[in-house]
Amino acid sequence: MNMRSSWLKETGQTREDTRLTQIGATTPANTVEAHSGILPGSYEGLHRLSGFWLGNKDAMTGTLHGGRAVIQGPGGQGVYPVALTSPIDLPFAPGDAQYGRIDLVVIRIYDGLYDASNRYDAVAEVVQGVPGPTPAPPAVPAAGLPLFEVTVPAGASAGNGGINWGTALKDRRTTVVSVGGILPAVGEVRRGAYPGQYQDSTDGTLQRWDERDWVSYPRAIGGIAPAGAITNGSYVGQYRDTAGGVLQRWNGTVWQPAAPYPAYVENRDGGSTTSLTYTPTLTGRPPAPLAITFTAPPSGKVLLAYGNSAMIERNGTGQQFTSVRVTQGATLVQDATDEFAAKAAGANHTSVSTQLLLANLQPGTAYTITAVHRVKDATQPGWFDHVFIRVDAMA
């Protein structure tokens, strides 16, 4: 018989059975049970998993190729090691006249000490699904290891097209390794069994189980995750590179520049106003206000610098003021005041600027700074040119 097992039959286990199936590979599912799965490996080392591959022999017959696996029995049955040493053929029943169905190829353990089969065998078999408009695969039998789902079209038969082997298969195989081994992940992503367990993920990233999630290797050791490797951080203080080459730090909610660079905006077009109250609009300049949005750093403090080139028109005896308005969404955080304004007076061109420490911001929250202007005398328009705003994060 091609399918071998050990510690299953009441009598008749041979030394060859034992040699072939004592594989020593169990990935823990808990303290007393193991995951069912297939030992990884392939000819020439070309693939993660080649064991128990299902190919096609003819229109309605598949060929299951060799491999080794372990199957966890229900309850206290323990783990059954099995080995298929040469290919076997698996026939599929003809398709239903009206609907397609999904069959399941499994390796199944029959153990008469625990079930009503009165058998002691490890077998590969096809569990036939139920035809329907939207068919679903059948349940995996107790002490069974799923290998492939196979879609059987309506009316399929040896003389009527049969199974489309190119599209009919869905691979359900999973891998197992010994305790402490690095699992080459295939198929279903299982939760880890213990902190410090490692797996090689399907995208080729080495990962470590951290009690809740599989954490990619550069994150687990405090290294800098490569650009595109992760979306959300795993812990506060984690670093990642970006496609633009900016080093970022995870603050628990969002990614922020690790070394925040200044945010800066300017408008080199001049404009004037006669408004006695602060306004973001200047006549002669594009109507859009000069504004900048930034994300508050972990300290919640930024240093604002703002100003412009200024001149009072006409007789030059008036005064003009440039200040800023701070908003968070639709909420006004700080309104413009003369106290924090860059002030100018006279008919000569003058460059004026000032600085303002803005504190008590919510880290990781976006704020908007808008430049606003006014004059002291409405009869003497103020001219504002090359207006700028700069925001520097503070520690």
Side-chain angles (χ1 to χ4, degrees), residues 28-117:
N30 51 48
T31 56
V32 295
E33 295 181 319
H35 285 298
S36 299
I38 301 167
L39 268 70
S42 62
Y43 293 100
E44 307 298 331
L46 297 177
H47 306 285
R48 293 181 178 226
L49 179 60
S50 291
F52 297 105
W53 172 254
L54 183 65
N56 65 300
K57 180 178 182 180
D58 56 40
M60 297 298 294
T61 305
T63 298
L64 188 66
H65 295 271
R68 296 189 296 169
V70 291
I71 299 175
Q72 172 66 51
Q77 289 183 226
V79 178
Y80 298 86
V82 298
L84 179 62
T85 56
S86 58
I88 56 176
D89 293 335
L90 296 174
F92 288 80
D96 179 74
Q98 184 176 6
Y99 295 116
R101 70 171 193 273
I102 298 175
D103 292 350
L104 186 65
V105 176
V106 301
I107 300 172
R108 185 173 182 179
I109 297 295
Y110 289 94
D111 188 342
L113 289 176
Y114 296 94
D115 56 41
S117 65

Side-chain angles (χ1 to χ4, degrees), residues 200-345:
D200 187 29
S201 69
T202 53
D203 64 2
T205 302
L206 185 62
Q207 296 180 324
R208 179 184 183 275
W209 181 254
D210 73 347
E211 301 179 10
R212 297 174 302 277
D213 299 296
W214 287 107
V215 180
S216 295
Y217 184 69
R219 296 156 58 184
I221 63 172
I224 298 172
I230 54 177
T231 300
N232 293 320
S234 295
Y235 56 88
V236 175
Q238 180 184 355
Y239 288 88
R240 73 171 183 181
D241 192 16
T242 65
V246 177
L247 183 64
Q248 294 181 327
R249 179 183 183 274
W250 180 253
N251 73 353
T253 305
V254 297
W255 291 102
Q256 296 180 317
Y261 46 85
Y264 180 82
V265 66
E266 65 178 17
N267 191 325
R268 299 185 181 184
D269 293 329
S272 64
T273 184
T274 58
S275 176
L276 298 179
T277 59
Y278 281 107
T279 175
T281 303
L282 294 176
T283 302
R285 194 182 75 175
L290 183 70
I292 189 169
T293 298
F294 69 95
T295 300
S299 66
K301 296 187 294 184
V302 296
L303 182 64
L304 306 182
Y306 47 93
N308 54 270
S309 295
M311 182 179 70
I312 296 295
E313 297 184 5
R314 299 190 179 179
N315 61 24
T317 60
Q319 295 181 14
Q320 62 189 65
F321 307 82
T322 294
S323 189
V324 290
R325 187 170 289 141
V326 183
T327 56
Q328 192 274 306
T331 302
L332 179 64
V333 176
Q334 181 169 301
D335 205 354
T337 68
D338 293 348
E339 181 181 1
F340 303 131
K343 307 176 182 71

Side-chain angles (χ1 to χ4, degrees), residues 38 52 64 105-107 145-148 170-173:
I38 301 167
F52 297 105
L64 188 66
V105 176
V106 301
I107 300 172
L145 174 65
L147 301 178
F148 288 90
K170 179 180 178 181
D171 197 340
R172 296 259 315 253
R173 297 174 300 165

